[in-house]
Amino acid sequence: MHILQLGGILASLATLAGAVPPAALKRQVSQLRSNYDFVIVGGGTSGLTVADRLSAAFPAKTVLVIEYGEIEFAPGVFDPPTLWITAAPDQASSWTFQSLPNPEMNNKTAFVLAGQVVGGSSAVNGMFFDRGSRFDYDSWTEAAGPDSSGIRWNWQGIFPFFKKSVTFTKPTAAVAQKYGYTWDVSAYGGSTPIYASFGPFQWADQQLLRKTWDELGIKSRKECAGGDKEGVCWVPSSQHPVTARRSHAGLGHYADATRPNYDLLVKHQVVRVVYPQGLSLGPPRVEVRSLADNQLFNVTAKAEVVISAGALHTPTVLQRSGIGSASVLGAAGIPVVLDLPGVGANLHDHSGAPVTWEYTTPGNFSPLPSDMLDPVFFANATAGFDEIPAQGPYTMAGGNSAIYVSLPHMTTNKKLKSIIKKIRDLASNTALASSYLPADYRTNPTMIAGYKAQLLALANLLSDPDAPSLETPWATGGTAYGFLLHPLSRGTVRLDPADHLAQPILDYRAGTNPIDFDLHLAHTQFLRKLINTPTMQQYGAVETAPGAGVSGDAALVEYIKEQIVLSFMHPCCTAAMLPKAKGGVVGPDLKVHGAKGLRVVDMSVMPLVPGSHLSATAYAVGEKASAIIIDAWSHGH
Ligand SMILES: Cc1cc2nc3c(=O)[nH]c(=O)nc-3n(C[C@H](O)[C@H](O)[C@H](O)COP(=O)(O)OP(=O)(O)OC[C@H]3O[C@@H](n4cnc5c(N)ncnc54)[C@H](O)[C@@H]3O)c2cc1C
Ligand SMILES: *[C@@H]1O[C@H](CO)[C@@H](O)[C@H](O)[C@H]1NC(C)=O
Ligand SMILES: *[C@@H]1O[C@H](CO)[C@@H](O)[C@H](O)[C@H]1NC(C)=O
Ligand SMILES: *[C@@H]1O[C@H](CO)[C@@H](O)[C@H](O)[C@H]1NC(C)=O
């Protein structure tokens, strides 16, 4: 059975254990102070990290977080963990998006979720807690170019904040031995109550794919969180080491961090920021709308406003504020306050198609996910999750294994060279590169320069044998998705011109850069090889998709277009940290170019998506941003 289907079966188990929220929780603007030093827009993964750190660093300064969603207070409220990714989430804790059709993908739409709750997406995600490779973060500074700020967002500059952001707990010796877990504590070292741990459970066939990857020449790595992860990886889950309950920002950076100077307003939407006296006289005011009675109210910030509404909502807050592309604002009838074309541009995500198979001589493996359909097994699993320490299938979230493979390790040298050459040629061909951008950016030199800089950084990354291009996570057999870790196509997220407060319009533009198909093709061809390994043949593995009928590149590309999952829920990069001359929205200090007292801190600031799921990076970005802001206000900004 497929992990995503398992989520549906487990969905009925949601429990809502109540607990009393702290006094600092506000539900109405009448409960707020007359002003705040720092106002943070969005109580999600990065935003709560910043609120926690600033309120701790400056006891005499006040911090307000404004969050659209509810507070779900009890630890484990979103457990069992495999609740994620159902087409209709059964709690009002997520937004559900359907993108515009993608013409290059047979008009398929992307289905995307985003957390709408205190804790943001960390409270609803799949709890797969990996970091990108060093090459991913180095590509950010490479694309940005020379920087005199001294703030380094490359691997060396962000690694200390990855360490700080999380507490890693080793599994017991017995559990480690049973499954072969490996780790290296030097990748960790923090004491923040955001937990990374390995559960005491695996499906019985988990080892089969490990052996298969070994037979395909993919090496096991002891630790994958220290910058190098090309190989077979154990990936911890963001869960408590004893209870196996979800660890998320709403717990680790709010409930566990209550302070008299740290307020949280829930069920309010930030409409926009307003500069009554002009952009140079910040910080702006923050206009909020009560979801209870629709009333508007201005919150006054004395020091700074930090927008942390996530990659899909941060651009709309900026656009409603008149900060964005003049043509987009014009179409929506919003007066231009600051023309920054990069706002809502550069949208990308991970996507990929599956290879699936069946065993004609299956081994006697027990337990397997299909056992969850047996009421006795199911009841035992539920009881196990409530044991101390927690036991059984629910302790494993969506899984904790993955391969990360570089392009040089998947393709022939000839094929590799041809793909890299195509990307390099594109990076130096202004006419062609611009033709792959959204129509309204094709004559904008800054947007084109930024795209070309990204392409060059990607050509360098993808040609490196230690820089992964493909990820395949797994928990059991039967399906292997090929995540395209470094897509070249770019989309947009823009406010709905007909209703500015409604959900934004997502245009993924997937496959508009045709080189993405070369990469998907290389990945899928590589994954198909798993069927013929000795381990798979021992169990009579037969490919069910693409299937024997699909041969040749053209047919395989058609299969990919039909079966691709267009979002693995990692939308990003829509307010990119790049110079203004490269279409950037924020600088290395995360200040919005040209607007005083305004920063963005969330997954929209990345110029390029890292080759990992995003929550660990969202915490690390929040930690590094906090250090930057604390430093600024400790020295009179
Ligand atoms: C279903 C799903 C599965 C995922 N699986 C994984 C996984 O297994 N592993 C992993 O590492 N990552 C995963 N991710 C991705 C990861 O969780 C997110 O990329 C990351 O948490 C985003 O952090 P953020 O701070 O940018 O935004 P968020 O954490 O999403 O925070 C944004 C917050 O802003 C609030 N907000 C938005 N607009 C407004 C407004 N106008 N006013 C006030 N508040 C507002 C939102 O309600 C939200 O709380 C998954 C994401 C989803 C949605
Ligand atoms: C996608 O939709 C457009 C607009 O409706 C249509 O013209 C086009 O033929 C469709 N493409 C495919 C492959 O179905
Ligand atoms: C917030 O302030 C701006 C600028 O002064 C003003 O135009 C707007 O009406 C105010 N909103 C509310 C709700 O008071
Ligand atoms: C029930 O769960 C426990 C762990 O909590 C496990 O050790 C045991 O094997 C399970 N029993 C069955 C029949 O699955």
Side-chain angles (χ1 to χ4, degrees), residues 336-597:
V336 178
V337 174
L338 177 59
D339 184 6
L340 270 185
V343 172
N346 199 36
L347 173 68
H348 54 292
D349 196 336
H350 294 136
S351 65
V355 168
T356 64
W357 65 94
E358 273 170 10
Y359 302 110
T360 50
T361 49
N364 194 13
F365 292 104
S366 174
L368 292 175
S370 52
D371 288 313
M372 289 299 261
L373 297 168
D374 168 8
V376 176
F377 184 90
F378 185 76
N380 188 50
T382 310
F385 194 52
D386 286 332
E387 282 172 36
I388 300 288
Q391 305 288 329
Y394 285 118
T395 62
M396 204 190 47
N400 57 15
S401 307
I403 53 164
Y404 300 88
V405 190
S406 70
L407 206 52
H409 287 162
M410 276 182 283
T411 55
T412 61
N413 211 16
K414 187 169 164 238
K415 188 88 209 158
L416 173 72
K417 278 193 171 143
S418 105
I419 294 175
I420 300 300
K421 182 175 183 320
K422 268 197 212 178
I423 304 174
R424 287 196 196 285
D425 287 350
L426 184 59
S428 60
N429 183 336
T430 300
L432 191 57
S434 58
S435 76
Y436 294 149
L437 290 175
D440 51 343
Y441 293 142
R442 285 175 200 158
T443 54
N444 184 313
T446 68
M447 298 304 296
I448 297 166
Y451 188 46
K452 285 163 66 180
Q454 290 188 36
L455 291 170
L456 207 52
L458 285 170
N460 293 339
L461 184 152
L462 289 169
S463 57
D464 195 308
D466 294 325
S469 169
L470 163 80
E471 175 191 333
T472 297
W474 89 94
T476 185
T479 306
Y481 273 95
F483 284 37
L484 173 63
L485 292 177
H486 301 290
L488 275 53
S489 301
R490 296 292 181 264
T492 60
V493 47
R494 290 172 173 176
L495 85 174
D496 181 346
D499 181 355
H500 301 170
L501 294 178
Q503 290 309 298
I505 295 168
L506 276 49
D507 188 359
Y508 263 69
R509 303 184 73 257
T512 49
N513 185 326
I515 302 171
D516 281 346
F517 288 110
D518 294 333
L519 298 170
H520 278 304
L521 195 59
H523 294 172
T524 309
Q525 282 165 339
F526 175 75
L527 287 178
R528 286 182 101 175
K529 293 184 183 167
L530 76 89
I531 310 291
N532 294 320
T533 57
T535 295
M536 283 292 137
Q537 283 309 305
Q538 188 187 338
Y539 299 98
V542 172
E543 185 184 287
T544 46
V550 178
S551 63
D553 290 1
L556 197 49
V557 166
E558 199 45 45
Y559 165 82
I560 290 164
K561 289 183 180 183
E562 273 307 317
Q563 295 304 323
I564 193 166
V565 171
L566 285 172
S567 170
F568 287 112
M569 314 285 168
H570 302 154
C572 74
C573 311
T574 51
M577 175 173 36
L578 287 171
K580 203 177 169 189
K582 287 182 175 171
V585 174
V586 300
D589 54 7
L590 305 185
K591 287 183 178 165
V592 174
H593 294 305
K596 184 143 167 50

Side-chain angles (χ1 to χ4, degrees), residues 69-130:
E70 253 301 348
I71 186 161
E72 302 284 3
F73 197 71
V77 72
F78 294 108
D79 295 311
T82 20
L83 258 178
W84 60 306
I85 314 193
T86 55
D90 62 350
Q91 297 176 39
S93 53
S94 299
W95 275 292
T96 310
F97 296 89
Q98 190 173 18
S99 77
L100 295 177
N102 288 269
E104 312 299 331
M105 296 289 178
N106 294 347
N107 284 339
K108 282 174 72 93
T109 57
F111 166 67
V112 194
L113 298 177
Q116 182 207 127
V117 64
V118 175
S121 298
S122 70
V124 302
N125 72 14
M127 296 165 60
F128 200 78
F129 210 29
D130 60 339

Side-chain angles (χ1 to χ4, degrees), residues 44-46 67-68 113 117 120-121 125-128 270 603 613 615:
T45 319
S46 299
E67 167 54 40
Y68 190 104
L113 298 177
V117 64
S121 298
N125 72 14
M127 296 165 60
F128 200 78
V270 170
M603 289 297 86
H613 305 234
S615 64

